[in-house]
Amino acid sequence: SGFLTASRHEQIGSLFQVQAASLDAAAASGSQQGSSVCPGQLLLTNTLESFKRLDKQTALATAAAQVWDDIRSGAAEQQPGLLTRFLLLAYGDLKHFVFHYWFAFPALKPPSPFQQLSATPLTTAYSNLHQQITAAADHWRSSSSSSSSTQHPDLFCLMQIDLQQQQVTTAS
């Protein structure tokens, strides 16, 4: 597992860390203060040649398939951190203290680009929903910032929008 600390500043990127504790499942299950646990996979090779020969595209496709399976099964709704999976391929030459590594963060890509058929501003089409979404996002922001000392801060605000009933609910 790795640890992701979301930046609250536009000019500073978010911090992603893999530490020695990441290799211990029990230690990595608990988060650092202000960080969320990101599930990941480490593929460690014995030789530089095997590192170079490793089929990186297949390994990345497998990691992306796990993310897609988590979305389809609903697991990502229960544990949004599953959307932050990563893959680390590594080889370490311990005699010479030289390390080779390859990080990958799978992203889903549709088979063909999404096409926008039409657009109506949310404020025009669903003024009531706009207010509910804004209120839900404001509530999430205030609860995330006030819970910065909690073990697992929320990095995502998941909302379910029912257009028929004109209701917005958030995942807890």
Side-chain angles (χ1 to χ4, degrees):
S1 295
F3 300 101
L4 178 65
T5 305
S7 174
R8 296 191 185 271
H9 303 285
E10 186 176 318
Q11 292 81 17
I12 301 172
S14 296
L15 177 65
F16 182 78
Q17 302 176 62
V18 175
Q19 303 173 344
S22 299
L23 301 175
D24 179 9
S29 64
S31 179
Q32 298 176 347
Q33 184 174 349
S35 297
S36 290
V37 176
C38 302
Q41 182 179 13
L42 168 65
L43 297 177
L44 188 60
T45 62
N46 290 331
T47 65
L48 182 57
E49 292 76 27
S50 61
F51 174 79
K52 290 179 179 179
R53 281 194 321 263
L54 194 75
D55 187 354
K56 295 172 181 67
Q57 291 303 318
T58 300
L60 184 56
T62 301
Q66 288 177 320
V67 173
W68 183 241
D69 289 344
D70 290 338
I71 291 170
R72 291 180 54 201
S73 71
E77 289 184 37
Q78 300 302 316
Q79 298 176 343
L82 295 175
L83 298 171
T84 61
R85 287 188 185 275
F86 71 94
L87 176 64
L88 172 57
L89 309 177
Y91 163 71
D93 182 347
L94 300 179
K95 289 182 183 177
H96 299 102
F97 299 104
V98 175
F99 299 90
H100 301 266
Y101 58 91
W102 187 76
F103 264 104
F105 299 89
L108 302 178
K109 180 181 175 186
S112 61
F114 295 114
Q115 296 196 3
Q116 181 176 335
L117 301 177
S118 66
T120 303
L122 185 61
T123 54
T124 303
Y126 304 104
S127 61
N128 185 37
L129 282 178
H130 176 265
Q131 294 166 354
Q132 289 184 48
I133 291 169
T134 301
D138 288 343
H139 175 73
W140 171 78
R141 275 191 210 99
S142 66
S143 66
S144 288
S145 63
S146 67
S147 65
S148 63
S149 63
T150 62
Q151 288 296 317
H152 301 286
D154 293 326
L155 294 177
F156 301 95
C157 178
L158 298 177
M159 296 182 195
Q160 183 175 1
I161 301 172
D162 184 337
L163 297 177
Q164 299 295 328
Q165 299 293 323
Q166 296 237 348
Q167 291 183 331
V168 175
T169 54
T170 56
S172 48

